[in-house]
Amino acid sequence: MFSVTCVAPVNIALIKYWGKRHEDLILPVNDSLSMTLSTNELCAKTTITASKSFEHNRMWLNGEEVSIEESSRLTRCLKEVRRLALATGSQKVSPSWKVHIASVNNFPTAAGLASSAAGYACLVYSLARLYEIPFSDELTTVARQGSGSACRSLFGGFVQWHRGVLDNGTDSVAKQIVSSQHWPNMHVLILVVNDQRKKTASTRGMQNAVNTSTLLHHRADKVVPERINQLREAIQNRDFQTFGEITMRDSNQFHAIAMDTYPPCVYMNDVSHEIVSFVHSYNNAMGSLHAAYTFDAGPNACLYVLAEHVPQLVDAIQKVFPSDLMDSAEYLRGLP
Ligand code: PMV
């Protein structure tokens, strides 16, 4: 019997992935770029045990058993990692042995806090460790097939998921741009507006958007390529002004696409919109950009802020918003 335990953190997209050009392989219509958070905070922890005597593959998510067979994505990830194990891994653990997988998230699942990204990254990485598969770009293509954004959580720091052009998806990989050491004072503050499961799962939301939103196609073709280049440059130069503006514009455009979907898909709520107004007023009052918001497929806000500006920002949030929102705030640093 062999066991491994790994931890993978959440990543928060600055340029969002929204829309697939291939459903099963999870090939996106545009590149995306994210920052991975530190392993001390929002993360998934997975233990996998392989044994010759196990009769079935089994999995528990947050203590509840889930069916691997009923999830095409889980099945696909297991199959793909085993394929790599046969090709490149050591045979200490035979890929034919059944596995028991126990995974826990230390934060709300499916509430728009990228739980599936951390979960699938952790699953694929743990399996790779179990079979002693060397780390490679190919591993990111496997995590991608669990949940698109999961491929970015295999790295720390700032990460780009390249959409790729091939039909088989072998060039749709994540690559690290810089480690978190490059910009060590970059912090993220998460304001948990609502920790319930999101109304429209991202898979459904994306399908509807690809089929009905004209803005989505304009963004993928005309907006994202240039935005990615500008953001990469801002990160290289540690230019918070450009970084923040691009991040907020991209969050706004992503939610505009959700609204341009027919019927519309609404992820942000009134409190989310109040946070947007607050950040713009706060930056105006400061005379330059001190905070930048981004919202994923849910109402919760992620605020990017430099370490030296955290206390002042927290103070202002506490004055404007009720204390329960602040109680749930987390300060997060990047993963190396
Ligand atoms: O990987 P998924 O299917 O959970 O989709 C993630 C979509 C967003 O979080 C909204 C954007 C992103 O790039 O992470």
Side-chain angles (χ1 to χ4, degrees):
M1 185 186 282
F2 289 91
S3 253
V4 294
T5 298
C6 298
V7 168
V10 153
N11 72 77
I12 306 288
L14 304 154
I15 306 266
K16 309 290 184 193
Y17 141 59
W18 199 249
K20 300 182 187 69
R21 58 182 211 277
H22 191 299
E23 283 293 328
D24 293 338
L25 291 175
I26 311 199
L27 299 178
V29 293
N30 59 268
D31 283 23
S32 53
L33 202 162
S34 59
M35 183 178 129
T36 302
L37 306 185
S38 86
T39 38
N40 308 327
E41 302 288 348
L42 309 187
C43 48
K45 186 176 186 179
T46 303
T47 299
I48 306 185
T49 305
S51 168
K52 210 174 175 173
S53 64
F54 288 162
E55 289 180 4
H56 303 284
N57 291 321
R58 295 178 73 185
M59 176 161 182
W60 293 262
L61 181 57
N62 295 322
E64 289 204 9
E65 185 153 11
V66 292
S67 158
I68 296 183
E69 284 70 30
E70 280 173 23
S71 163
S72 56
R73 293 185 180 190
L74 284 172
T75 315
R76 188 185 275 273
C77 285
L78 274 172
K79 190 175 131 232
E80 285 293 298
V81 178
R82 284 177 167 147
R83 183 180 60 76
L84 290 180
L86 287 169
T88 61
S90 106
Q91 295 299 300
K92 191 179 79 188
V93 178
S94 164
S96 65
W97 293 0
K98 302 293 184 206
V99 289
H100 285 182
I101 303 166
S103 191
V104 285
N105 294 330
N106 64 355
F107 61 95
T109 300
L113 287 173
S115 55
S116 62
Y120 276 102
C122 204
L123 173 75
V124 169
Y125 189 70
S126 308
L127 285 167
R129 293 300 296 266
L130 185 73
Y131 299 124
E132 299 184 309
I133 300 167
F135 193 88
S136 70
D137 278 0
E138 203 170 0
L139 222 48
T140 73
T141 69
V142 179
R144 186 200 78 220
Q145 293 176 62
S147 174
S149 54
C151 65
R152 300 186 311 237
S153 269
L154 285 171
F155 297 99
F158 293 94
V159 183
Q160 182 172 346
W161 172 14
H162 300 259
R163 73 185 283 284
V165 292
L166 300 175
D167 289 343
N168 67 7
T170 49
D171 61 345
S172 187
V173 295
K175 288 184 191 280
Q176 187 180 57
I177 299 170
V178 285
S179 83
S180 67
Q181 298 313 314
H182 172 78
W183 208 346
N185 55 339
M186 177 64 85
H187 278 50
V188 178
L189 196 66
I190 298 192
L191 304 182
V192 180
V193 172
N194 184 329
D195 64 3
Q196 302 304 300
R197 290 183 89 87
K198 54 196 171 203
K199 272 185 285 178
T200 312
S202 47
T203 306
R204 261 278 307 292
M206 281 188 213
Q207 274 167 355
N208 292 348
V210 167
N211 293 334
T212 63
S213 167
T214 47
L215 180 54
L216 177 140
H217 300 284
H218 167 74
R219 172 173 183 268
D221 297 344
K222 300 272 186 284
V223 181
V224 171
E226 198 183 334
R227 227 170 232 180
I228 289 266
N229 290 338
Q230 289 167 343
L231 185 57
R232 284 184 68 113
E233 199 180 318
I235 291 167
Q236 292 293 353
N237 299 333
R238 298 183 198 89
D239 167 2
F240 190 81
Q241 302 303 304
T242 312
F243 171 92
E245 184 175 333
I246 294 175
T247 298
M248 292 190 282
R249 280 180 180 274
D250 201 70
S251 174
N252 294 340
Q253 196 170 56
F254 157 51
H255 289 278
I257 286 172
M259 282 304 292
D260 188 42
T261 300
Y262 191 81
C265 214
V266 182
Y267 290 116
M268 292 167 69
N269 67 15
D270 288 351
V271 178
S272 317
H273 288 291
E274 278 169 29
I275 294 171
V276 168
S277 305
F278 159 80
V279 170
H280 285 291
S281 316
Y282 180 76
N283 286 335
N284 275 342
M286 292 293 127
S288 71
L289 223 138
H290 278 211
Y293 55 78
T294 189
F295 295 81
D296 272 350
N300 303 315
C302 298
L303 304 187
Y304 284 87
V305 52
L306 296 178
E308 53 272 35
H309 296 142
V310 168
Q312 208 173 10
L313 176 64
V314 169
D315 230 45
I317 295 171
Q318 265 163 343
K319 291 204 177 87
V320 177
F321 292 97
S323 59
D324 55 339
L325 188 65
M326 255 336 280
D327 288 347
S328 60
E330 310 272 359
Y331 307 87
L332 301 160
R333 279 214 39 226
L335 176 77

